[in-house]
Amino acid sequence: MIEYTARRELEHVPKDWRCPRHAAPDEWMTPSNRQTTAVLELQPSYLEPLRSGQEPRLLGYFWGPPGGPAHHGSVSGPGFQALGDNFPPGTRLTVTATIALPDTPENTSP
């Protein structure tokens, strides 16, 4: 639940906003969804020329979904870090998260 103290704060919330759990339900780990995989691809990003006749200038390499917009020059998570400048364009980073449930559920009631 999100609470706003002023009506003007709502002006910055997109009308089609959904909470992350409902916007990408397949990414949420649950007892029935114990594994998820994400793939990022390294893509070059260019600065468009200010004057005609100039070539675009390479800004650097950024991670993003294959075929989608790339925004992050470095990505990290538990146990890994990847800087885009260390790899050639087209490199794919595949991150898989797996939940291992205990053999018998523990009684967690108070």
Side-chain angles (χ1 to χ4, degrees), residues 39-98:
V39 178
L40 297 176
E41 185 174 54
L42 194 62
Q43 306 168 35
S45 181
Y46 296 93
L47 180 63
E48 292 300 320
L50 297 174
R51 292 180 231 128
S52 65
Q54 288 182 325
E55 293 291 320
R57 189 171 54 123
L58 178 66
L59 287 176
Y61 299 103
F62 297 88
W63 298 102
H71 301 290
H72 305 286
S74 67
V75 290
S76 62
F80 80 94
Q81 297 183 45
L83 185 61
D85 290 340
N86 292 341
F87 302 96
T91 298
R92 286 184 175 226
L93 170 65
T94 303
V95 178
T96 301
T98 304

